[in-house]
Amino acid sequence: MPKKVILDVDPGIDDAMALCLALFNPELDVVAVTAVGGNCPPDQATRNVQAIIEQLDPPRWPRIGAASPPDHALPVDGRYLHGSDGLGGANLQVAELRSRHPSEKVISDAIRATPNAVTIIALGPLTNLARVFLRDPELTSMVGEVIMVGGTVSGPGNITPAAEFNMYCDPESARTVFRSPLTKTLVPLDLTNQIVLSYDLFNKLPDESTRVGKLLHTILPPAFRAYRQRFGQEGIHVHDSVALMAAIHPTLFTIEGMAADVETAGELTSGATVFDRRRVPAWRHNLGVAIAMDREKVVDAIIQGLHQAAKR
Ligand code: RIB
Ligand code: CA
C-alpha cells in the first residue's frame, strides 16, 4: 500500500528535485503538494509548484496548495542560490493558474480525509504546518508523522552562523511545530550537508529526452554556478532529496530521540535549533533526529529514483 504523503515545499531547486523523486515513486501516494514561501516569495512558490507538476505530468496529479504570506516578511531572499524565479531562472510556463486553495486548508482537508494515515514531508519553512495545527489542534492527533528538513544539531547554520534557512525564515512557526505533540523527525544540515551532487553525478542523471531529465538539466546548471560563485564549491547540496529518502528508505538512517526548541528572539541566533544534550537533560524528548545515514546508499537511491521517475 503506497504511503500517503503531503509535500510542503518552497521550490527551490532542491525542492524541485525532491518532487521529481516523489511524484513518480510507486511507494508514495502524493495526495498534495503545498507551497510555502522561502527560497522565493509565496506567490512564486505557488506558481513554481504548479509549473513543476505541469512539466512533469505525473501519473497522479496531487492537489496543490497556494502559499499565503507569512505573518512576518521573509527575513532573507533565497534567490541568491535559487535564481530570480526560485528555479534557476528557468521561467517555466504555467498553462493556467488554477483555483488556489490555501496550503493550510489543503493540508487540513487531506489529514481529515484519511486520519492517522498521512505523512507530512516539510521541505521549507514551517509556516503552513504551524498554521494548520494552531487553527485546529485536534489535527495533531490525526497526522501519521512529520518529517522536516532543516536545523542544525552541532554544525553551523547555512544562512547565518547559527541558523539553517528553513528555521531562520520563520522561527516562530518552527517553534510552534517543535513544541507540538506531533510525531516528528528532523533531518538536519549536519546530515544533508554530507551529500554533494557533483558534476560526475549530474552527468549520470536522466537525459533531456525525458520530462524529469529536461527539468533537471534546466534548473541544476544555474545552481552549480551559484554554488561556485557564492561558496567556491564544485557541486550542489540536495537537502530536500536527502530528507525525502528518510521517508522512503528509513532503514538507511539512524534516528535518535532528542529534546529541541527554536530560538525566536536572538539578535544573532534567531532560527537556531537548540538541543538539550546535557548529561541530565531537563527538556523532554520531542522529536527524532537523523544523526547518521548510509551516505553511499542514499546517493544511490536518489540517482536510481530519478532514473525510475524518468521512465514513468
Ligand atoms: O537549508 C536548506 C533548506 O532550505 C532546503 O529545504 C532548501 O530548499 C531551503 O528551503
Ligand atoms: Ca526547500
Side-chain angles (χ1 to χ4, degrees):
M1 186 73 173
K3 177 187 272 190
K4 290 188 183 300
V5 299
I6 297 168
L7 289 159
D8 194 60
V9 293
D10 62 328
I13 290 168
D14 63 323
D15 302 72
M17 179 185 273
L19 285 172
C20 290
L21 288 163
L23 289 168
F24 295 94
N25 188 305
E27 295 172 42
L28 299 182
D29 175 9
V30 183
V31 296
V33 177
T34 51
V36 63
N39 287 320
C40 60
D43 281 350
Q44 185 68 54
T46 304
R47 184 181 181 79
N48 287 350
V49 165
Q50 189 164 320
I52 290 164
I53 292 171
E54 287 184 4
Q55 288 286 318
L56 294 175
D57 189 18
R60 297 177 314 283
W61 280 47
R63 288 194 67 197
I64 294 174
S68 36
D71 296 337
H72 309 286
L74 288 169
V76 66
D77 188 329
R79 287 176 281 188
Y80 70 98
L81 210 52
H82 297 269
S84 57
D85 64 346
L87 292 175
N91 293 314
L92 300 180
Q93 293 309 302
V94 175
E96 41 152 308
L97 287 182
R98 290 172 175 70
S99 64
R100 295 177 164 186
H101 297 288
S103 290
E104 49 265 37
K105 180 166 182 350
V106 170
I107 294 169
S108 301
D109 292 351
I111 294 169
R112 288 198 176 282
T114 49
N116 304 310
V118 173
T119 295
I120 299 176
I121 303 173
L123 302 177
L126 295 170
T127 309
N128 292 334
L129 271 63
R131 284 183 176 158
V132 165
F133 299 115
L134 281 175
R135 288 180 187 168
D136 195 344
E138 180 189 37
L139 289 173
T140 55
S141 62
M142 297 169 68
V143 177
E145 69 168 320
V146 174
I147 297 173
M148 309 172 281
V149 69
T152 65
V153 179
S154 50
N158 60 355
I159 194 67
T160 73
E164 175 278 330
F165 184 87
N166 287 337
M167 306 302 159
Y168 182 72
C169 279
D170 190 346
E172 291 79 9
S173 291
R175 170 174 284 193
T176 297
V177 173
F178 273 49
R179 292 185 174 186
S180 74
L182 291 161
T183 302
K184 304 176 285 287
T185 300
L186 182 74
V187 184
L189 275 189
D190 311 68
L191 231 57
T192 62
N193 272 343
Q194 291 179 27
I195 289 180
V196 174
L197 186 77
S198 63
Y199 288 109
D200 287 349
L201 285 174
F202 173 72
N203 291 327
K204 290 178 181 172
L205 295 182
D207 66 38
E208 294 176 84
S209 66
T210 66
R211 285 178 173 271
V212 166
K214 185 167 182 286
L215 178 64
L216 294 176
H217 281 76
T218 301
I219 66 175
L220 292 182
F224 278 90
R225 286 195 293 275
Y227 268 81
R228 185 186 312 118
Q229 288 161 9
R230 180 88 178 203
F231 307 119
Q233 177 175 305
E234 297 302 328
I236 63 174
H237 289 302
V238 287
H239 306 283
D240 295 343
S241 293
V242 177
L244 180 69
M245 291 302 116
I248 299 174
H249 304 290
T251 58
L252 298 183
F253 294 77
T254 304
I255 308 295
E256 184 176 301
M258 289 191 179
D261 204 341
V262 182
E263 176 57 71
T264 58
E267 182 189 343
L268 298 176
T269 57
S270 179
T273 45
V274 181
F275 292 80
D276 188 354
R277 295 185 290 163
R278 290 172 285 187
R279 190 174 58 79
V280 181
W283 297 357
R284 280 170 6 100
H285 283 188
N286 59 337
L287 79 176
V289 180
I291 57 166
M293 67 179 164
D294 184 324
R295 203 179 66 81
E296 297 302 318
K297 286 188 178 172
V298 169
V299 171
D300 194 45
I302 291 172
I303 301 299
Q304 295 312 316
L306 290 171
H307 278 284
Q308 275 179 7
K311 289 176 190 150
R312 295 289 300 275

